[in-house]
Amino acid sequence: MSPFKLRSAAWFDGDDEVAVLHRVAAGISADDRGRAVIGIADTSSALNPCQAGFAAIIPELERGIRDGGAVPLRFPVMSLGEDLMKPSAMLYRNLVAMELEEQVRAHPLDGVVYLANCDKTVPAALLAAASARLPALLLLGGSRSAPLFAGRRLGSGTDLWRALEDRRAGMLNDGEWQQLEQTLACAGGGSCNTMGTASTMALVTEALAMALPGSTGCQLGSPELAEIAYRTGRIIADAASTGGAGAGADEVMTAAAVNNALRLVAAVGGSTNAVIHLAAVSGRLGRNLDLAEVDRLWAEVPLLADVEPCGSQLAHDFHDAGGLATLAAEMLPAGLLDGAVRLASGQTMAELAKTAVTDQAVIRPVADPVLPAPTLVVVSGSLAPDGAVLKTAAASSHLWQHTGRAVVFDDYADMRTRLDDPELPVTAEDVLVVRNCGPVGVPGMPEWGMAPIPAALAAAGVRDMVRVSDGRMSGTSFGTVVLHVAPEAAVGGPLAVIADGDLICLDVAARRLDLLVETTELELRLASWQPQTNEHLRGWPKLYRDHVSQAPQGCDLDFLTSPTEESRRFVPPVVGRS
Ligand code: FES
C-alpha cells in the first residue's frame, strides 16, 4: 500500500518556481510545509443574521486546527439567508453546493470545515462534502436567544406565524404587532431557536457524523459553542493529516447514518424539508432515497422532543436536555436507531447514548411520548403519484381523514390576491390548493405551501384546514399541510389540472392523497394541459429549472448526482502556473 500523501503536496512540494509561487500565495511557511491544509468555508454575511455567530468562534476553530498540526485557510462563500433571499434560498442551495465543491476542488486543501447555520447553508455544505470527497466537518453557528413577549419566550418563526393568525383573527392589535417586531429584533443573530429546518438539519448533520454531537441548539455566544469549534478544528486536522479509510465525507455519510437521521427527524417533529435534503445527499452518493422506505422508517417513531413547533419548549432546552445523546438513549432500546453508526466525535451512537442527560421533560421516553407515532408520513395517490409529505405532529388529527372541495390558487400571487376576498366561496371543510410552487414552477420551490386560513374563517375561529401544495413550508410552521406533491404542477402532475370544486381525499391511515375525479376525465384534462412558458429566465434560474429534479429526488441538478468513478478523481492537474 502506498504511503498516505497529502493532497496539498501536489501544490506545495518541490523547489521549482511553481511550488514557490503556491507556497507564497497560500502563506505556507517553512514550518507549515508538510502539514495538512484545512479550508474554512466562511458563509458569514450581513445579509444573513443566522450566520452571525461565526466571527466569534472562527479563532477557536483555527486554534484547534493549529493545535492539531494543520494549517487553517479561510475563504468566503455565498451565504443563504432564509429570510431575505427571494424567491427562496432553496433556489440557491445547489449553487452554493457547487461553489463549495469547486472551491475545494480547485485549491490545495486536505480537509475542510464548512461554517453553516441557516436552513440552506447546512444542506448545501452536506451536498458539497458528499461530492468533494475530502475529510470534512460542519461547524454550526449557534442558535439565537429567546426574548420574552407577552410573558413567554419567543420561538423563532413559529410564534410569528401564531401571532399572524391571531392578528388575522382580530385578536392582536397594531400596537401588539409592533411590540412583537421590536421583541423579535432583540433576539439577535443565530439560527432559529425552534425545531425548524435549521435545528432539524443540525441534528441530521450530527447523525451523519458531519458535526459534533451536542451542536444542535447550542446557544450563540456560549462557551460550549467555542469549545465545539476548537474540538472541530482538532478532529478535522487529525483526519486530514492521517487520511485512510473512512476519512472522506462521502464514506462517513452511510445509508445507516441517513436512516438514523430520518428517524431522528421524526422523533423531534422536525422539518419536512429534511427529507428533500437527505434525498439530495443520498443522490450525491449514488443512492436513491425511496419515499416508501422513508415512511416505513417514520412509522414507529413517536414525538419525543417537546420542542416548537410540535411541542412547547425551544431548541436550547433540547440541547440542555442532552440533545442527540438523550434521544439515542431513549430510541436505541426500542430499536429505533442503529447504535453502530459512528459519529464525528469518534463515538458510536450507542457510546454517545451513555452520556445522556436523564431528562424526561423535554426529551421524553418512548413509552411516554409527547405524541404517538407517526409524526411524519408519506402519502401518495392519484393527486400525488410520486408522493407527498405531511407532518402529522403539526397537523390536526381530526383532519387526517378528510374529504373536501378544492379551492384552487394557480400560484402564490393568486393566493395572496384572492385568499381574503369576502367573495371567495370557501368553507372550513374545503381544501386549499396552492400550485406552481415546486422546484421547476417558480423556480426554486419556496415555502409557499402553508396558505393562511382565509381571513373570514380565521375570524370565525377556524385554526386549521387541509392544504395541498407542490411547494414546501417552513420547518417552524404548522397545520394540516400536504407538501412536496410530486410530480409538481409545472411539469404536468395531476395538481396542474385540478379544478375548483373537485373533491380531494386525504387519508393518513391509508397513506393516500386522491383526486376524486374519474380516471378518463383526469386523462382528458392532462392530455390538453400545456406547460407555462418562462421566457424571461436566464442565468442560474434557467440552468436550475432546466436540470432540477423533483422533490422525491431531492431537487438536485441532474448533472450533480450519481457520480461515475471517473468523476470521482479529485486532484486537478497541478502542472505549471494557473
Ligand atoms: Fe436562518 Fe431560521 S431563518 S435559521
Side-chain angles (χ1 to χ4, degrees):
M1 203 170 88
S2 58
F4 171 68
K5 194 161 185 252
L6 290 172
R7 179 174 177 270
S8 60
W11 279 261
F12 298 137
D13 275 7
D15 280 322
D16 63 13
E17 84 288 1
V18 178
V20 168
L21 193 71
H22 290 163
R23 289 195 295 270
V24 169
I28 300 295
S29 67
D31 184 53
D32 289 338
R33 288 184 68 174
R35 297 181 186 276
V37 179
I38 307 297
I40 298 174
D42 186 1
T43 50
S44 300
S45 165
L47 294 171
N48 186 355
C50 311
Q51 313 281 119
F54 288 121
I57 57 175
I58 286 173
E60 282 306 298
L61 172 64
E62 290 177 329
R63 193 168 68 84
I65 292 170
R66 284 274 178 205
D67 286 356
V71 178
L73 286 182
R74 183 152 62 100
F75 61 94
V77 181
M78 179 180 178
S79 200
L80 300 177
E82 195 65 20
D83 293 329
L84 294 178
M85 288 191 105
K86 305 298 174 193
S88 170
M90 183 65 173
L91 173 61
Y92 300 102
R93 182 200 67 181
N94 300 337
L95 181 63
V96 169
M98 283 175 67
E99 183 196 358
L100 280 165
E101 179 186 347
E102 297 306 326
Q103 285 270 36
V104 172
R105 184 189 304 281
H107 288 103
L109 302 176
D110 301 294
V112 60
V113 176
Y114 300 100
L115 308 185
N117 212 33
C118 194
D119 295 18
K120 303 303 178 298
T121 50
V122 175
L126 291 174
L127 293 177
S131 295
R133 294 166 184 267
L134 277 187
L137 284 176
L138 273 68
L139 176 60
L140 305 163
S143 72
R144 74 184 64 157
S145 66
L148 292 176
F149 176 73
R152 63 186 291 263
R153 296 179 302 165
L154 268 185
S156 314
T158 304
D159 285 323
L160 177 60
W161 319 140
R162 284 198 183 120
L164 173 66
E165 287 198 348
D166 287 348
R167 190 171 193 229
R168 289 170 60 78
M171 295 160 55
L172 196 78
N173 63 36
D174 288 349
E176 290 165 325
W177 184 248
Q178 285 158 13
Q179 197 186 342
L180 174 72
E181 179 178 342
Q182 288 161 10
T183 311
L184 283 170
C186 294
S191 59
C192 290
N193 59 27
T194 44
M195 196 51 75
T197 303
S199 297
T200 303
M201 289 308 298
L203 187 62
V204 162
T205 306
E206 290 186 42
L208 296 179
M210 292 299 296
L212 282 174
S215 297
T216 308
C218 192
Q219 245 182 299
L220 185 146
S222 66
E224 195 180 347
L225 188 60
E227 200 246 326
I228 287 174
Y230 177 81
R231 283 174 53 216
T232 300
R234 290 297 299 250
I235 291 169
I236 196 68
D238 188 53
S241 302
T242 55
D250 54 309
E251 297 167 79
V252 169
M253 293 187 271
T254 61
V258 169
N259 287 351
N260 274 354
L262 283 162
R263 285 189 142 158
L264 288 161
V265 171
V268 298
S271 170
T272 45
N273 290 322
V275 70
I276 295 180
H277 300 317
L278 282 167
V281 168
S282 298
R284 291 293 179 105
L285 300 172
R287 300 193 297 260
N288 174 37
L289 195 69
D290 176 31
L291 279 184
E293 171 65 8
V294 170
D295 187 73
R296 196 189 64 72
L297 287 167
W298 284 342
E300 305 293 319
V301 185
L303 181 64
L304 301 180
D306 184 16
V307 180
E308 291 190 24
C310 299
S312 62
Q313 305 298 308
L314 298 179
H316 317 144
D317 307 307
F318 174 78
H319 173 265
D320 294 345
L324 178 61
T326 305
L327 271 180
E330 299 296 346
M331 294 171 72
L332 281 168
L336 296 177
L337 288 178
D338 182 339
V341 169
R342 201 159 285 284
L343 303 168
S345 58
Q347 302 158 293
T348 63
M349 188 73 85
E351 288 166 347
L352 178 74
K354 295 184 184 139
T355 67
V357 174
T358 50
D359 176 279
Q360 303 265 299
V362 180
I363 300 176
R364 304 270 280 270
V366 172
D368 181 27
V370 182
L371 287 171
T375 65
L376 290 152
V377 294
V378 174
V379 294
S380 60
S382 59
L383 188 51
D386 295 340
V389 175
L390 169 67
K391 191 197 282 193
T392 43
S396 303
S397 55
H398 72 275
L399 294 173
W400 288 13
Q401 165 79 58
H402 182 82
T403 300
R405 293 181 317 147
V407 176
V408 182
F409 299 101
D410 240 345
D411 53 30
Y412 185 67
D414 182 33
M415 185 273 287
R416 297 276 298 203
T417 304
R418 293 195 296 124
L419 186 75
D420 292 339
D421 184 341
E423 302 298 312
L424 180 73
V426 62
T427 73
E429 286 71 43
D430 292 338
V431 176
L432 303 179
V433 175
V434 189
R435 65 186 171 199
N436 290 310
C437 306
V440 172
V442 177
M445 204 179 185
E447 294 179 338
W448 291 347
M450 191 191 77
I453 304 298
L457 296 177
V462 177
R463 281 290 180 271
D464 198 6
M465 295 171 68
V466 175
R467 285 154 276 181
V468 174
S469 178
D470 47 10
R472 299 177 298 117
M473 82 173 181
S474 165
T476 59
S477 295
F478 45 85
T480 310
V481 191
V482 184
L483 301 154
H484 316 169
V485 169
E488 63 176 309
V491 299
L495 204 61
V497 295
I498 190 169
D500 279 333
D502 287 348
L503 289 179
I504 294 174
C505 178
L506 170 67
D507 186 342
V508 168
R511 303 293 196 270
R512 299 284 305 180
L513 181 70
D514 287 299
L515 180 59
L516 304 185
V517 168
E518 291 294 334
T519 309
T520 46
E521 164 67 12
L522 189 57
E523 284 170 356
L524 271 176
R525 289 189 200 176
L526 286 169
S528 60
W529 174 82
Q530 293 289 328
Q532 291 178 357
T533 54
N534 216 343
E535 300 300 338
H536 67 281
L537 283 182
R538 59 180 292 281
W540 173 254
K542 174 157 174 46
L543 185 69
Y544 180 94
R545 186 199 58 183
D546 290 350
H547 293 277
V548 71
S549 65
Q550 292 291 285
Q553 288 77 46
C555 303
D556 205 357
L557 304 186
D558 52 17
F559 54 81
L560 293 173
T561 55
S562 299
T564 61
E565 277 309 316
E566 277 219 327
S567 73
R568 289 178 182 179
R569 284 193 209 133
F570 189 53
V571 180
V574 188
V575 180
R577 300 175 63 172
S578 302

